[in-house]
Amino acid sequence: MKLLLEIHFMNKAGGVPWRLLRSPADLTTCYVGVAFYRSDDGSSLSTSVAQVFNERGDGVVVRGGPARISRTDRQPHLARADAHALLVHALDAYRREHHTAPARIVLHKTSAFTSSTRWR
């Protein structure tokens, strides 16, 4: 109870509660968020952007290759080679930023997964 009161008064005084420092190696999940956007003139869906971050939200933004609108579902998709290159680039950026390789990768994207983009 005493510790809770001390933390409460420290917060009231504008202080920040402590937390245990964690080694970057303890933050083992790499989150990759892929989104698509149009060029400034709106004429093409030219590139994709991936936000790469760990559990704390520390991360970087990397750019990918050209995206294409599918005629089937009218959503943007990357070609298999471009998706592979984007993920390799994202993992390289994660390693440079966090000085460790992730044990797990969580991939989010704005378009639906298709049979050609699902991992087996």
Side-chain angles (χ1 to χ4, degrees), residues 10-11 14 22 28-29 41 51-52 55 61 65 67 73-74 84 87 95 99 104 106:
M10 183 172 52
N11 278 330
R22 293 174 66 186
T28 58
T29 301
D41 64 3
Q51 297 177 343
V52 183
E55 285 96 335
V61 175
D73 61 8
R74 306 207 30 91
H84 180 265
L87 191 54
R95 284 186 202 101
H99 310 291
R104 180 174 82 131
V106 178

Side-chain angles (χ1 to χ4, degrees), residues 79-101:
R80 182 179 293 266
D82 292 333
H84 180 265
L86 178 63
L87 191 54
V88 166
H89 186 55
L91 290 174
D92 287 343
Y94 183 93
R95 284 186 202 101
R96 279 192 312 276
E97 179 73 16
H98 303 294
H99 310 291
T100 187

Side-chain angles (χ1 to χ4, degrees), residues 4-25:
L4 291 176
L5 285 173
E6 289 172 354
I7 292 172
H8 172 75
F9 289 126
M10 183 172 52
N11 278 330
K12 286 281 192 184
V16 178
W18 58 270
R19 69 176 178 195
L20 293 175
L21 292 177
R22 293 174 66 186
S23 165

